[in-house]
Structures are given as structure tokens and as C-alpha cells.
Amino acid sequence: MTRVDEIGIGGLGASRRRVEDARFIRGCGNYTDDIKLPGMLHMEVLRSPVAHARIKSIDTSAAWAIPGVRLVLTGEMAAQRNLAWMPTLSYDTQAVLATDKVRFQGQEVACVVADDPYTAKDGCEAIVVEYEQLPAIVNPTQALAPDAPLIRDDKEGQTDNVCYRWEVGDKAGTDRAFARADKVTRLKLHYPRSHPSPIECCGSIANYDPATGKLTVYMTSQAPHIIRAAVALVAELPEHLIRIVSPDIGGGFGNKVPVYPGYVCSILCSILLGKPVKWTEDKSGNLISTGFARDMYFDGELALREDGRILALRFHADTDQGAFFSDAQPSKFKIGLVHSAFACYDIPVGHITARGAYTNKAPGGVAYRCSFRVTEAMFFQERIIAAAAADLGMDPAEFRRVNLVRDDQFPYRTPFGFLTDSGQYRRCLDLGLDAIGYEDFLKDKEEARLRGRRLGIGISTMTEPLGAGNSREYDILGIKMFDSAELRVHPTGKAILRTGAKSQGQGHETTWAQIVSHELGIPAADVVVEEGDTDTAPFGMGTYASRSTPVAGAAVSMVSRKIRAKARKLAAHLLEVSEEDVEWELGRFFVRSAPNRGVTIQECAMAAYGNMPDGLEPGLENNAYYDPPNLTWPFACYLVIVEVDPETGVWDVLRVVAVDDCGVRINPMIVEGQITGGLTEAYAMSNMQFMTFDAEGNCVGSNYLDYLLPTAWETPGFELHEVVTPCPHHPIGAKGVGECAAVGGPAAFVNAVLDALSDTGVRNIDMPLLPDRVWEAITTGRDVSGAPPVKT
Ligand code: MCN
Ligand code: CUM
């Protein structure tokens, strides 16, 4: 008997080529905008040119008069259907179409449906809106000033621009620890607004069929089942007559989690017209109006002991939420999982306060590889860790080594209540230092300094919580966070697998088949994976927070094991022995006492349809719902070496080393792709992505001249290393990885630049570290803030 070779069949650990790429690289993907339905009309959105203004009147008559225009929808008309406002996933309300005021530049004011997109655009231009402009607020300081104009005057009882307050930890204990400290390090910084800007913008095609009453929506959603539930609950349509289909998605990065007014309007227009209505957002619409990320102000301190131990931490965070609190995050915490900060360090006590502010900017709050504000948390963590090491005069690597949680401390309870599951933090750090040649670099740096060159090294180490839920702590609109998989094995042993997750480029079609292979020995090429259609996929919560592997991936294992359990009964029948005498090896059952007598999983599949024992249900299919016991906690160590040109402030990246421990890797090549992509984004955020606002609330960065996307030309090379600490509670030991490098990466770049400036007294330059900011820091010796408003 030759054993099935797991790598050979594309099982766990195989760097199998991405099957979806066969269509993507040929231009044969099937994206929302590719779909054309018979009789389909086109919708365009009219957006506000101003950030804050009362709407005095909207005159749509000229738009209606344009031949080919079928519908001009205003907030007033939407209000008649009770749809001028919608609830957000953070229990706030958001305007679908503005009625009373506009509250950010780019806000949806009206939409026009026409025979083609160009006529619809002309229709938008023909609408005359009279605005009475109000002062614009573009940062929390302005928002929270005593005389600030009230942005959310639509909300009963709202008297200021505070949208939430939140706190966690032990204040008294933290104060006591600070009183005992030998030294206190303080750091203030702003993590700027950034935008996921996927290649494909958002869009939808709503098709309400008046004959059947069925609403089908093709759309760019990372979470189709949530959308179906939201449509059912908000629009009060019957859920069984709603079908949401997310076809191929051209990048999501969190941009495609929230519910946008454009989606809602296309649905409403289709219902009103009884025809399919397509909405495709344009690039500037995407950049100015859909889910942004970050925009968070930190002010925090570490209490330090002379020997380098951290005694306590505390910080306050102000988040700039934009005009509506529409964070799409499923925890009961107002600020996501920001209190996962410092989880990789053994710190006994801490206290965090947070406050959200309404401003005249687009809503969004969490997106862009964030794991719900974990990106900001880890950035602040690693920036203040670097500052603390400098304050103590200690080597930053040694400072981390002293404070990192030890391998024998797991499971480790953080001061804010998280339970980190496993890891080898020091090993990852040492591997990274070794790979980058840390000791040699320190010597090179001193020599270069003597010759007037500024070299710097930045380190970032972090663990982050990936995989929402479990259902005890996480829900969306009251629906608990779990996920699902359904597996159907056909008579010839080929199979179709469906999950409640939804790939936007992460490669689920490739990796889920590998899990089935690992569990059943069916070659990965024999398993087709389908996601994103609520009429066929099992109920699931979608893809974000790198939750697919931790939750849906686990469900794939569990459903495969159910199939294996049934196949064992079939094998016993075929082998004419009792089930207890049947043993399993990959792809095959055999008789324990006669290992040569065996049947393959494919033979069992055929028997499920053609030769089942009496009393056994025919067929070989099942489903599994998986409620994870905990989040998964990958660890990463990123190291960056830069050279800063003191004359121009330009900085070049000389080396990047990454050590990632995401547990067992299903597909090492895809994992490396995720890390490479994340590091590219981290580099872009730290270096070039500039999205800000002027004093009038105009969005600076709503185009790709200001908001730069990194290409292969600017992006440095990355050296990737791995450590594997299996996740103790995941069926195949995997942890999430999709966001790690974007979360942990930025601090490594910024720490490197500041290390190169270590003799100047500069403690912080806000991202992006544009050359003029770095130059200003060098020439003035002062910190450089990036908080809006900017001068224009
Ligand atoms: N994987 C693996 N072994 C592991 C962990 C993951 O082989 N131990 C594989 C998975 O099977 C999957 C991929 O790596 O194919 C990412 O898995 P996971 O970490 O579970 O993340 P998700 O699939 O849930 O993806 C979400 C995550 C998020 S939240 C953002 S934002 C982001 C990211 O993925 N958006 C992306 N990476 C992206 N990559 C692309 N190409 N496009 C996006 O929009
Ligand atoms: Cu927050 S970006 Mo991802 O979690 O979809």
C-alpha cells in the first residue's frame, strides 16, 4: 500500500498555487460591475461638495426633464419609506440621503437612476441644492471645544459632539504603580486617517422582482449574511425572499464591511422601479465617503523600573469618528479591541480611557487591516516601547526581551482580561535580530554617523487578537459570532465546500480545499469552494478581523471530520468488519488486523450513494457551525533599517526582516503573500499615504496624486521568516494572519526613522513621514504633528 502523500495532494502545508488566480490573472473574474441583468438601469449618487451645511432646498426638476432619467431620489422621498436614516452596526444612526443637513464632504444627497451611467451623472449635475454653510469641524479638539457647533442635532438628547466614552482597567492600581515608578515615559501621537482603497470600489446591483417578491442583490460585501439580516431587519423585507450574492471581490481590506447608503439606495430604487438598478462607486466617491480607518489620538504613559521592567501602563485615546458612528465592529466595546494593546508584554496593571468625537468627516472608523482598532493599539504600543527604551538608555531589543511574556506563562491573562493562548515571543525576536545582523548593524550605524550618514533601526513586536468571536463576547445586531461550513462529497469522491466566510483576495478557494484534503485525503484539486451566496452558503458572519481561518477554517475541519465519521461506517460495511476494527490513515480506512485490506475515501463516497448498509442514510454531506473558544493570538516581529537624508528628509529602506508565527500554516505561500501585502501597506502608511482635511472640511487626499498607492518600484524587498506555535484550541492549530503585517509593520518603519534621528531630541513625527515632516523635525529638533486641519 502506498500512503497518500499529503503535500502531493495539496493538503496542509502545501504551497499550492492559488486556484482563483487562473481566472483573476486572465481578466476573467466575475466582479459586481461585470454583471449585467436584462433591463438593468444605472444609479449615480450626488454628493455634498461642502462639509457642514444646512440644506435649504433641493430642486430636482431639471434632472427629471433629462431624457433617459427614470428616477430622482431625495432624502424626502426616502423618508416616506422610513429609509432616510438607517441604523449603523455601532448602534448609531446614519443618513442614507441627507434631509436636514450635510455633515461631511462627499455625503450622499440624492441619486438619479437612468438608462445609462452617463445620463445618470448628467442628472446629478442638473440637481440644484441650496446650502447654508456651517463651520466645519475636522478634529476632536475642535469637536469637544465648549462652543463647538453641534453636528448631530438630529439626535434627541445629544448636546455635544461626544459619541461615546469608554474605559477599562484598574485606575487605582495603575496610579499606585505609577507612584512607585523610577521613571515615566510619555508619548503623544496621532495615527492619521487612512483609507483601504481597494482596486475595486464598492457597488451593488439590486434586482427586486415584483412578480415573485424576491429581492436579489449582487454586491461588494465581505459579509453577505449580515447584509441579508440587516436588510430584513431595517427594510422589513421577508428574509427568505432576500438573496445577497457577493461575487468576486477586488480587494476589501475592511472597506467592504459596512452598509453604505449607495447599497440601500440601489435597493430602494429597484423596489420603486421594479427593475434591476446598478450602482458603481467611482474612485473619488470611494476615497471621500466610504469606511476609512484610524484617525486616532493617543496620549499615554509607561511606568518603568530602573532595571527595565514595565510596572504599569495608561493611556487616553480620542477617536475621530466622522459624522456618524458607523464602526463595523462586533464587540460590545465602544472602541473595538484597543485594549489588546501591550498583550505581548507582562505588565501587571493598566488603565485606558477613550472618547469618540463626531466631526464633519466621512464615517467609518474601522477598516484597512485593523482587527477593530488593534492596528492603532499596536502602533502606539510599539512607539512608546521604543521611547521607553530610549528614556532608560536601554537597548530596545533587550528592553523587549525583559518584558515579553515568557513561553511558560501561557495561557496568559492580560490586565484587560484577554487570554493569550500560546507563543514563543523571545524566539521570534531573537530570530529576527539574528537575521538582520543586529550587533553588526549597531557598529555600522556608529561608523556611518561619523561620516555624517544617518542610519536607524526600528523594531516592532506584537501579538494581536484575530478571529472574532466567540459568541459569548461578540455579536453583530444581536447575531452571535460563529461561522460555518457545508461539505458535499459526490459519488465519485469529488466535493463542493461552502462556508459563511467571503474571500476578497485572500485565497479561500485554495486554502479551504487544503483543509479538506488534510482531514479526508481527497486531493485539493477535487474540492471546489464556493462562498458569498446567501441562498446556498451556510449562515456565517463573513470575512474581517482575519477571522476566516480561526472560525470558518475551523468549521471546515469539523465538517470534514463529520464526513469521515460517516465514511467510517461505510468502510466497515464494505470491509465487512465492525466499525471498531477500522483504522484511518490519510485517504483510506483499513482493517486493524489486516492493514492491506482497505478502502479509499472515494470508495466510501461511492458506497454512500450505491452500497450503503441497511439503516444508514444515503449521501455523504454535512455541515458544521463553529463557535471558537477564544480568539487566536499570532505573534510577529518586524525589523526595519533605514537611512535618512538630513538634507532633504527623504528616507530609504535598506532592510526589512519579518518573523511571523501564525501557528500552523495551511498554505505557506499564501501566508507569505499576506505578509508581503501587509508590509507593503505598512510601508505606504508610514511613508506616503496622506489623507487629511483643511479647515473647511475639504478632504485632501481624495485622489491618487495625494493619496499614493505603493507600486513595486517604491516598495522595498522583505525577508520573511517563520516560527510555528500551534494554536492550542484550533482544530488544526492555525491562527489568523491576514492583518498581522499591516498591524505591526508601521511602527517598525517609524521607529527606524526616529532611531536615525535619536540625537536630535525628536520623539515623534506623525505618519506619513513625508520628507518635509522629517526635514522639519531635523532642522527644528521638535516633534511634528500631522493633526488636521492642514494649510492649503
Ligand atoms: N492562512 C494560512 N495559514 C494560516 C492562516 C491563514 O494558510 N495559519 C491563509 C488562509 O487560509 C487565507 C489567508 O491566509 O487564505 C488569510 O487568512 P486569515 O488570516 O484567516 O484572514 P481572512 O481570510 O479572514 O482575511 C481577512 C483579512 C483582513 S481582515 C483584511 S482587512 C485583509 C486581509 O485579510 N484584506 C485583504 N488580507 C487581504 N488580502 C487580499 N488579497 N485582499 C484583501 O482585501
Ligand atoms: Cu478591519 S479591516 Mo479587515 O478586519 O476586514
Side-chain angles (χ1 to χ4, degrees), residues 252-253 369 506 508 511 545 548-549 664 666-667 674 737-739:
F253 304 105
R369 285 185 151 169
Q506 294 89 345
H508 295 176
T511 47
S548 304
T549 300
V664 172
I666 304 162
N667 182 323
Q674 287 293 314
V737 77
E739 288 159 309

Side-chain angles (χ1 to χ4, degrees), residues 41-46 63 66-72 110-127 278:
L41 302 172
H42 299 264
M43 185 186 98
E44 273 292 335
V45 175
L46 175 69
I66 295 175
V69 166
R70 303 299 186 96
L71 179 67
V72 184
C111 49
V112 175
V113 180
D115 291 342
D116 61 75
Y118 313 102
T119 309
K121 199 145 209 135
D122 289 345
C124 285
E125 274 166 24
I127 298 173
K278 179 193 261 189

Side-chain angles (χ1 to χ4, degrees), residues 12-14 18 20 196 198 222 249-257 367-372 466-467 501-512 514-515 531 542-553 632 634 661-675 677-678 681 730 732-740 742:
L12 200 64
R18 296 179 15 133
E20 43 272 87
Q222 297 178 213
I249 293 185
F253 304 105
N255 189 211
K256 290 164 180 164
V257 181
Y368 206 6
R369 285 185 151 169
C370 68
S371 289
F372 315 130
L466 292 181
K502 174 60 203 157
S503 184
Q504 314 119 45
Q506 294 89 345
H508 295 176
E509 288 171 48
T510 307
T511 47
W512 295 163
Q514 294 184 248
I515 299 177
E531 292 179 337
T543 288
Y544 38 84
S546 307
R547 66 187 295 279
S548 304
T549 300
V551 195
T632 68
D661 180 356
C662 60
V664 172
R665 296 182 176 201
I666 304 162
N667 182 323
M669 181 182 66
I670 286 189
V671 168
E672 293 193 351
Q674 287 293 314
I675 294 165
E681 292 177 335
H730 187 279
I732 55 168
K735 304 180 180 186
V737 77
E739 288 159 309
C740 293

